[in-house]
Amino acid sequence: MTQSPFRFDGKTVLITGAGGGIGRSLVAVFREAGAEVVGADREAGLLDGLPIVRQVLFDQADMAATRAAISADIAAHGVYDAVVANVGFTRAEHLGMVDDAVWAAELNINLNGAYALTDPIIAAMAERGLGALVFISSVNAIAHFGNPAYSAAKAGLVAYAKAIAVERGDEGVRANVVAPGSVRTPAWDHRLAADPSLLDNVLPHYPLGRMVCPVEVAHAALFLCSDAASGITGTVLPVDAGLTAGNLRFVDEVLRGK
């Protein structure tokens, strides 16, 4: 019987930011598909309770430490079959909150660290002749929805993934991007506690009338890492409840008169 192309039995997958809201769903979904999951995060405590085969610890804002930790893991265990680069962070929600320090910090963790993470992995995958990477970016890479420094970094991930796709494709390495919209993770809890009516302003922008769930992002990443997507590289897949399809609020307020 031929194995389903969505299965990962016998394969090892590295998931970074594994202890976060999306990260934990990624771990669960890849484990359900049969993968041996290597979990990476800043602190061991963030990975408590996760069904992972081992952990790799580093702060992705530190490029040298990130590269060293990943290179050591590859040297000890071999390169992964697939990687989901999931780390992301922002607190600067508009240009008035950005200065030189904020700009540098957000590019370091969201873009520079992702390069330091994946550069040694790509080299090892290319030497082996096979591998898949998925970067968790954001709809902010496609259009502006605030968070300007974060957005610039996440757009940089799209350009980087396309570079990998073009320059490493003949060595068997694929790279794709998942671009979530608002994801209902615990990161929203403090905002909703401060303003329970916040979703009344957020949800009218989404054609599906809701935010996406972490598992929906994880399913998209699973597909792009899997053999089912063996002919797909250099693409950006929005998982955004329709946000980037068009301007629902404009249609409702201007055309429908709601």
Side-chain angles (χ1 to χ4, degrees):
M1 183 176 178
T2 304
Q3 179 174 297
S4 165
F6 295 97
R7 294 292 303 175
F8 283 78
D9 302 284
K11 295 183 178 181
T12 301
V13 179
L14 172 70
I15 295 171
T16 66
I22 295 175
R24 287 182 170 266
S25 286
L26 284 164
V27 171
V29 164
F30 275 89
R31 278 294 300 128
E32 288 169 5
E36 292 191 342
V37 176
V38 180
D41 219 312
R42 290 175 291 117
E43 302 169 3
L46 296 171
L47 302 172
D48 286 349
L50 289 175
I52 57 178
V53 294
R54 65 181 181 276
Q55 56 185 227
V56 185
L57 303 178
F58 54 86
D59 181 349
Q60 193 168 290
D62 184 333
M63 292 181 70
T66 298
R67 181 181 293 269
I70 288 299
S71 296
D73 193 65
I74 292 172
H77 302 282
V79 71
Y80 324 99
D81 296 288
V83 173
V84 183
N86 170 58
V87 172
F89 175 82
T90 182
R91 282 291 182 268
E93 296 189 344
H94 55 78
L95 281 171
M97 300 171 71
V98 175
D99 57 23
D100 288 355
V102 167
W103 185 270
E106 296 211 0
L107 261 70
N108 276 342
I109 190 168
N110 293 300
L111 179 59
N112 298 341
Y115 165 75
L117 166 79
T118 55
D119 183 52
I121 294 171
I122 293 161
M125 285 179 169
E127 184 176 351
R128 184 182 59 193
L130 189 66
L133 302 101
V134 168
F135 295 90
I136 305 299
S137 179
S138 169
V139 292
N140 292 55
I142 301 170
H144 188 62
F145 300 101
N147 305 94
Y150 171 86
S151 300
K154 291 298 192 179
L157 285 181
V158 173
Y160 179 46
K162 289 180 180 292
I164 298 164
V166 171
E167 297 192 23
R168 294 288 182 257
D170 64 350
E171 296 170 289
V173 181
R174 296 188 299 110
N176 291 288
V177 175
V178 172
S182 298
V183 182
R184 184 60 179 96
T185 68
W188 278 84
D189 291 349
H190 72 283
R191 300 182 67 182
L192 293 174
D195 181 4
S197 68
L198 180 60
L199 292 185
D200 294 338
N201 296 323
V202 173
L203 298 186
H205 294 277
Y206 287 88
L208 291 185
R210 63 176 178 83
M211 290 190 280
V212 299
C213 303
V215 71
E216 293 174 308
V217 178
H219 284 153
L222 178 85
F223 164 64
L224 289 172
C225 283
S226 75
D227 290 341
S230 58
I232 301 175
T233 193
T235 67
V236 180
L237 175 59
V239 182
D240 64 356
L243 180 66
T244 55
N247 191 330
L248 174 62
R249 196 155 199 165
F250 180 91
V251 172
D252 280 346
E253 295 179 3
V254 178
L255 304 179
R256 292 173 171 171
K258 287 187 177 181

